[in-house]
Amino acid sequence: MSSSSSAGKRALRLEMLADHPLAFLETLAQAAARPHEAYRQRIAQAAHGGRLAQFVADPGPASRGGPARLIGHAGGTVLPEEPDVTVIFAVYVTAEHRGGKVLAELVEAVAAWSRA
């Protein structure tokens, strides 16, 4: 899992919403209208503190010379009323990587964060 740029995370979020428009609590139009700075702030917020975390699957440098593309996302949050419970949310794997190990790696990243 990686700490990729806000532009890469924004691109992945827009893909998530285009692929599954009802699954992520906002519309594609709302996410597209949000400026890059809002994505940067959202990433910074999730990077600090113990109640919320977001993980992305980053395959590393692009093999064909183009920019690297994030291929998955999963978030975790601790329930305020049940501090021993972590909920996994906003799970997404790009179509070409479904059925492989990406989903398991994302879930394990959230689980490891929760245990820590």
Side-chain angles (χ1 to χ4, degrees), residues 20-48:
H20 296 286
L22 301 177
F24 299 106
L25 303 178
E26 74 177 336
T27 67
L28 178 58
Q30 289 167 326
R34 189 177 318 121
H36 283 282
E37 177 59 20
Y39 281 91
R40 191 200 62 72
Q41 289 174 357
R42 187 174 181 175
I43 293 163
Q45 178 186 8
H48 302 304

Side-chain angles (χ1 to χ4, degrees), residues 5-91:
S5 74
S6 61
K9 289 182 182 170
R10 181 178 189 271
L12 181 62
R13 179 71 178 178
L14 295 177
E15 179 182 335
M16 291 164 63
L17 290 164
D19 195 18
H20 296 286
L22 301 177
F24 299 106
L25 303 178
E26 74 177 336
T27 67
L28 178 58
Q30 289 167 326
R34 189 177 318 121
H36 283 282
E37 177 59 20
Y39 281 91
R40 191 200 62 72
Q41 289 174 357
R42 187 174 181 175
I43 293 163
Q45 178 186 8
H48 302 304
R51 302 192 72 77
L52 174 69
Q54 295 184 36
F55 299 89
V56 294
D58 182 352
S63 60
R64 296 192 176 102
R69 180 172 172 258
L70 300 178
I71 60 171
H73 174 276
T77 188
V78 176
L79 297 176
E81 64 278 2
E82 295 184 62
D84 294 335
V85 175
T86 298
V87 174
I88 297 175
F89 68 94
V91 178

